[in-house]
Amino acid sequence: MPERRTVALVTLGCARNEVDSEELAGRLEADGWELVEDAEDADVAVVNTCGFVEAAKKDSVDALLEANDLKGHGRTQAVVAVGCMAERYGKDLAEALPEADGVLGFDDYADISDRLQTILSGGIHAAHTPRDRRKLLPISPAERQDSAAAVALPGHGSAAESAPADLPEGIAPVSGPRAPLRRRLDGSPVASVKLASGCDRRCTFCAIPSFRGSFISRRPSDVLNETRWLAEQGVKEIMLVSENNTSYGKDLGDIRLLESLLPELAEVDGIERVRVSYLQPAEMRPGLIDVLTSTPKVVPYFDLSFQHSAPGVLRAMRRFGDTDRFLELLDTIRSKAPQAGVRSNFIVGFPGESEGDLAELERFLNGARLDAIGVFGYSDEEGTEAATYDNKLDEDVVAERLARVSRLAEELVSQRAEERVGETVRVLVESVDEEGVYGRGEHQAPETDGQVLLTSGEGLSVGRMVEAKVVGTEGVDLVAEPLAGSLACSEEAGR
């Protein structure tokens, strides 16, 4: 009987990383590893790191050190770093953090089982040398699909590469040339599905394209097959993720491919809600807005990456738009779906940002009526163009502007929540315990946009959909009362 090998996956960062962790889990379990929830119960703790901004990198290092502290006190024998930070820094991270027994890049994912076994057995797998992944695929999007098989694309990996004929129960048996093995790591009724990887935009503050590579779409059949499998696992809501969903299909010969894929996803048996994240304002098309606001089960939710609204700052960021054009876009969306949810992130203190620029951003925020707002203070990211700019603001000025805009954002999202009092919301129940029954409306994405507390939850369970009337707010969160007959209908649907 083979020796029992256990592994725990600790995931940091965004929903894209969560998908990658579930692909790694599928590959490992298919090769005989036993997945455990807690690192202290695992022979190997695999930390899926985030390398986006300094705070995220610190969290990743802290998680690696925390896992390392388990060695010698329990089962844990090795700690391995994977993910964006590991890919971005490779051997430099290995040298700076000797507590990590291995630093694996994306190229190692297809052989993750062998890599972990080598490390667990006391061997050494050399950390990779980082490289600009934008150079791995052709410059022309139309030529990329033919080259994709030779490039490691987390979330696009082929099941046929490493899967045995008799996959363990619960691992995605999806088909297609780039359909990944996948093992769900929790019982949530919500799951993310990768629509694409990489990014062709060259925002001056962002290093992501250098370590995630150029934009490449997954084929619609792969996305559909994975969604069908997730529905069989009890998933009710899927969230489409990538670095830029509005570019989907451009390398497949059809920039409007998302408009035709969404209705197909909404028709998958068992799926009650389809959500699209990561949309670029400059790439929004009238047809895409129409599909997002009129297709049953596709929620009118717009995760728009505005970043700023002052024209000069946007140009320095190598982005497009201004306050009035952004407000016009929001007016167009709400003319078609008045209850549409909109969220965005913003950077304050960007090099050269003036008081007038900040006032312009505040003018936009006051007029935008956003449901959720993330605000970040600018900091240099190595390897980015903005890091070379001369006209940087003092750290205390950036901190003051961050605090100022954050206060305004908190007030505005609370006001927006209050505007929803009296509305009817369709709530997906996500937790039922002694603290109450909580879920999310269509305008709320997982973990980022607040939640809904239901005033009555008798007979409800996780995964149910409930119609409810908003009767109050708690900051960005809503308090809602299930409508008469809604609980009965939900109970009947669950039988």
Side-chain angles (χ1 to χ4, degrees):
M1 186 174 180
E3 182 181 356
R4 177 173 177 258
R5 302 175 300 176
T6 57
V7 60
L9 286 140
V10 180
T11 307
L12 294 94
C14 65
R16 301 186 293 277
N17 257 15
E18 294 171 6
V19 176
D20 294 350
S21 284
E22 293 197 346
E23 177 188 340
L24 291 174
R27 290 183 179 278
L28 288 166
E29 191 167 72
D31 202 47
W33 290 77
E34 179 181 342
L35 300 170
V36 295
E37 186 172 342
D38 298 322
E40 62 185 357
D41 298 325
D43 296 318
V44 184
V46 177
V47 180
N48 193 347
T49 61
C50 179
F52 179 41
V53 293
E54 203 59 41
K57 287 182 278 189
K58 182 181 182 303
D59 289 344
S60 296
V61 170
D62 289 345
L64 287 163
L65 293 175
E66 182 178 343
N68 181 70
D69 289 342
L70 297 172
K71 290 191 292 188
H73 299 285
R75 186 181 180 95
T76 309
Q77 301 174 49
V79 176
V80 175
V82 298
C84 291
M85 188 176 180
E87 172 63 36
R88 183 176 181 183
Y89 296 105
K91 62 180 183 179
D92 291 338
L93 177 61
E95 292 171 0
L97 197 69
E99 291 85 353
D101 299 287
V103 176
L104 306 181
F106 297 153
D107 292 337
D108 292 305
Y109 281 23
D111 300 308
I112 186 68
S113 178
D114 290 342
R115 300 288 186 264
L116 296 191
Q117 185 59 57
T118 295
I119 294 167
L120 185 60
S121 301
I124 297 175
H125 179 72
H128 75 105
T129 300
R131 53 181 173 168
D132 188 340
R133 298 190 72 86
R134 290 172 293 191
K135 298 178 180 179
L136 302 183
L137 291 168
I139 294 176
S140 170
E143 298 174 3
R144 290 177 189 164
Q145 289 289 327
D146 292 337
S147 305
V151 177
L153 298 167
H156 298 227
S158 170
E161 290 173 0
S162 59
D166 53 341
L167 287 176
E169 182 179 354
I171 297 181
V174 290
S175 60
R178 282 174 299 279
L181 292 168
R182 182 168 180 174
R183 159 65 82 177
R184 299 227 57 211
L185 293 174
D186 61 38
S188 170
V190 185
S192 296
V193 176
K194 272 207 178 176
L195 194 61
S197 291
C199 186
D200 288 342
R201 301 185 71 88
R202 295 295 178 261
C203 301
T204 59
F205 56 83
C206 184
I208 290 176
S210 66
F211 57 85
R212 277 289 183 177
S214 298
F215 184 89
I216 187 160
S217 305
R218 292 181 70 196
R219 295 189 180 277
S221 58
D222 293 346
V223 178
L224 277 165
N225 284 337
E226 189 168 350
T227 299
R228 293 185 184 110
W229 177 81
L230 288 167
E232 292 171 359
Q233 307 304 304
V235 169
K236 300 300 181 183
E237 175 180 332
I238 62 164
M239 183 166 73
L240 300 178
V241 298
S242 75
E243 280 72 19
N244 178 10
N245 283 330
T246 34
S247 284
Y248 180 68
K250 72 175 186 179
D251 53 319
L252 294 172
D254 185 0
I255 191 60
R256 294 176 176 80
L257 195 56
L258 183 56
E259 286 93 307
S260 58
L261 176 60
L262 285 171
E264 293 186 70
L265 292 170
E267 292 176 0
V268 172
D269 287 343
I271 296 298
E272 296 292 333
R273 183 180 285 175
V274 178
R275 184 182 305 277
V276 183
S277 62
Y278 307 115
L279 300 168
Q280 286 291 340
E283 296 180 29
M284 289 301 295
R285 307 175 290 276
L288 180 56
I289 295 174
D290 288 343
V291 170
L292 287 170
T293 55
S294 65
T295 307
K297 295 188 179 180
V298 174
V299 295
Y301 175 79
F302 294 81
D303 177 7
L304 294 163
S305 177
F306 289 119
Q307 301 300 344
H308 212 285
S309 72
V313 175
L314 287 169
R315 301 304 175 269
M317 291 178 169
R318 199 167 287 138
R319 297 177 66 85
F320 307 94
D322 56 44
T323 296
D324 292 331
R325 273 189 275 184
F326 289 164
L327 291 176
E328 183 178 333
L329 171 61
L330 295 177
D331 286 344
T332 299
I333 290 169
R334 290 178 175 132
S335 70
K336 298 175 182 295
Q339 294 185 355
V342 186
R343 79 162 335 272
S344 192
N345 293 324
F346 299 89
I347 298 172
V348 296
F350 192 80
E353 180 190 65
S354 67
E355 278 290 342
D357 293 329
L358 193 67
E360 185 69 2
L361 173 58
E362 291 172 327
R363 180 171 81 88
F364 171 69
L365 292 174
N366 277 297
R369 297 170 57 232
L370 302 178
D371 292 278
I373 301 171
V375 187
F376 301 88
Y378 173 81
S379 62
D380 284 340
E381 275 298 311
E382 55 198 286
T384 63
E385 183 178 341
T388 68
Y389 288 177
D390 295 327
N391 51 347
K392 297 203 176 72
L393 306 182
D394 290 340
E395 288 185 7
D396 58 344
V397 174
V398 175
E400 186 278 327
R401 292 184 179 184
L402 173 61
R404 169 177 157 185
V405 177
S406 295
R407 286 193 299 269
L408 174 63
E410 186 175 351
E411 294 172 5
L412 292 173
V413 295
S414 295
Q415 291 174 15
R416 179 67 183 120
E418 290 170 1
E419 291 179 15
R420 292 192 179 274
V421 173
E423 290 184 359
T424 297
V425 291
R426 192 163 186 252
V427 180
L428 172 62
V429 177
E430 292 188 310
S431 68
V432 179
D433 53 35
E434 62 277 1
E435 296 183 2
V437 178
Y438 287 89
R440 290 177 298 103
E442 293 185 338
H443 68 288
Q444 297 168 315
E447 300 181 6
T448 60
D449 301 347
Q451 57 188 349
V452 179
L453 169 63
L454 293 173
T455 60
S456 174
E458 185 178 354
L460 286 178
S461 59
V462 172
R464 298 285 182 86
M465 286 286 188
V466 182
E467 299 285 337
K469 181 178 180 180
V470 180
V471 296
T473 65
E474 296 178 358
V476 70
D477 297 332
L478 305 181
V479 179
E481 180 180 332
L483 297 178
S486 180
L487 294 179
C489 291
S490 179
E491 183 177 355
E492 185 67 28
R495 289 176 182 169

